[in-house]
């Protein structure tokens, strides 16, 4: 056999970022890319699985703000009915296969005004799109020290945010939104401990439930477990029926409820 020297495939910036989508360093790499267009201190994204029952969950974030404050801010935002409705309204404005990009700063009476003031954020640019029955809203925060975005800043951001939003959506489908569920709060662990209705799950059903609770899509689950998408859907239906839940949100809540 002849030895052959292999060279890495050439990649442009988009391909390099796409290759990082499932990796831990994706958020930092994407933020660095966005900052080449304009000074953005933080970015994040909320996913809404069903516009009929809007319950936004924080999908990904990166930037100068700590994980603690990002999560705390997300819980505060998601607890307001008006803000949940705001997410839904922006997603609904996005036609299928298209994006809505808007620029915003909080008026004094908005529930987010105190958060923005505390975190020294002056402005936000957001991108919304449809995904199935729900959608994704990604947001990009500008710090007080940088000041308002100029027209040139906004023009450059409009050139990079569609790619950023698409990659965030891809990461959500692959990795979900809750990579840090405690080990004792997993369906696999509860099944192994023979706890209540969880004991009736098969091994595969428990695995599929754990991925669903993290927000991993059907496609991502199939890729992770090496099974077909139809098999994932069948396993989900069976598990949901055994656990007497109808939605992924109810499934996730079940992990933290007292129903054992």
């Amino acid at each position: 056999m002849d030895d052959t020297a292999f060279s890495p495939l050439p990649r442009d910036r988009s391909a390099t970022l796409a290759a990082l989508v499932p990796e831990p360093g994706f958020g930092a790499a994407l933020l660095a890319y966005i900052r080449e267009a304009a000074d953005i201190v933080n970015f994040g994204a909320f996913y809404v699985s069903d516009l009929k029952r809007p319950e936004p969950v924080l999908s990904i974030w990166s930037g100068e703000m700590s994980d603690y404050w990002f999560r705390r801010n997300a819980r505060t935002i998601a607890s307001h009915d008006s803000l949940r409705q705001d997410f839904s309204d922006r997603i609904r404005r996005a036609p299928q296969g298209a994006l809505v990009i808007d620029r915003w700063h909080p008026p004094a009476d908005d529930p987010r005004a105190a958060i923005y003031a505390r975190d020294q954020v002056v402005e936000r640019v957001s991108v919304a799109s449809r995904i199935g029955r729900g959608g994704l809203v990604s947001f990009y925060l500008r710090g007080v020290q940088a000041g308002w975005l100029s027209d040139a800043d906004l023009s450059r951001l409009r050139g990079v945010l569609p790619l950023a939003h698409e990659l965030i959506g891809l990461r959500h489908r692959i990795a979900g939104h809750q990579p840090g569920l405690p080990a004792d709060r997993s369906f696999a662990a509860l099944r192994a401990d023979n706890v209540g209705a969880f004991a009736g799950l098969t091994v595969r059903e428990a695995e599929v439930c754990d991925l669903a609770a993290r927000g991993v899509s059907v496609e991502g689950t199939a890729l992770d477990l090496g099974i077909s998408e139809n098999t994932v859907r069948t396993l989900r239906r069976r598990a949901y029926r055994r656990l007497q839940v109808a939605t992924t949100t109810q499934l996730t809540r079940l992990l933290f409820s007292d129903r054992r």
Side-chain angles (χ1 to χ4, degrees):
M1 181 183 295
D2 294 333
D3 290 334
T4 303
F6 292 98
S7 300
L9 291 172
R11 286 178 175 171
D12 61 13
R13 190 65 179 279
S14 301
T16 299
L17 286 169
L20 288 172
V21 160
E23 303 298 328
F26 168 71
L30 184 60
L31 184 58
Y33 169 71
I34 295 166
R35 282 176 170 167
E36 292 177 6
D39 186 358
I40 296 296
V41 292
N42 295 283
F43 85 89
F46 280 94
Y47 173 68
V48 176
S49 61
D50 190 341
L51 289 173
K52 292 182 179 178
R53 295 183 296 274
E55 296 187 40
V57 294
L58 187 62
S59 177
I60 186 174
W61 63 95
S62 186
E64 297 175 10
M65 195 182 304
S66 70
D67 285 359
Y68 169 80
W69 281 110
F70 235 119
R71 288 180 183 274
R72 180 169 177 174
N73 291 349
R75 286 195 298 270
T76 300
I77 290 170
S79 69
H80 284 267
D81 290 341
S82 62
L83 301 186
R84 289 197 297 271
Q85 188 61 47
D86 176 63
F87 281 113
S88 299
D89 290 345
R90 279 187 282 143
I91 291 169
R92 286 193 177 95
R93 292 205 314 270
Q96 289 290 347
L99 304 174
V100 170
I101 301 177
D102 63 38
R103 177 182 185 180
W104 179 85
H105 65 277
D109 60 349
D110 190 280
R112 289 161 288 192
I115 295 174
Y116 276 52
R118 184 198 64 219
D119 296 331
Q120 297 190 309
V121 171
V122 68
E123 191 170 8
R124 180 205 74 197
V125 177
S126 67
V127 184
S129 66
R130 294 284 191 102
I131 300 176
R133 293 183 299 180
L136 186 75
V137 177
S138 60
F139 54 93
Y140 309 86
L141 305 179
R142 176 85 160 186
V144 170
Q145 291 184 343
W148 296 101
L149 289 160
S150 67
D151 290 342
D153 288 330
L154 194 59
S155 178
R156 289 192 298 272
L157 281 173
R158 286 180 178 274
V160 302
L161 292 189
L163 173 62
H165 186 82
E166 184 71 20
L167 292 175
I168 290 168
L170 176 60
R171 180 177 174 87
H172 181 87
R173 292 193 293 274
I174 293 173
H177 60 263
Q178 294 188 44
L181 288 173
D184 64 341
R185 293 285 183 170
S186 73
F187 292 96
L190 291 167
R191 176 192 174 277
D193 289 341
N194 202 33
V195 176
F198 304 103
L201 297 172
T202 67
V203 172
R204 265 300 194 231
E205 287 169 355
E207 290 173 338
V208 165
C209 285
D210 280 326
L211 290 168
R214 280 174 43 196
V216 179
S217 67
V218 169
E219 297 92 329
T221 300
L223 183 64
D224 190 278
L225 298 180
I227 56 181
S228 73
E229 293 178 19
N230 282 339
T231 300
V232 172
R233 294 187 182 95
T234 298
L235 290 167
R236 280 193 181 188
R237 283 196 299 271
R238 290 177 181 170
Y240 285 23
R241 189 163 56 246
R242 293 186 203 277
L243 298 174
Q244 299 178 17
V245 297
T247 67
T248 303
T249 299
Q250 293 173 357
L251 181 78
T252 305
R253 285 176 176 166
L254 192 57
L255 280 178
F256 298 93
S257 74
D258 293 327
R259 196 179 125 194
R260 292 286 183 267

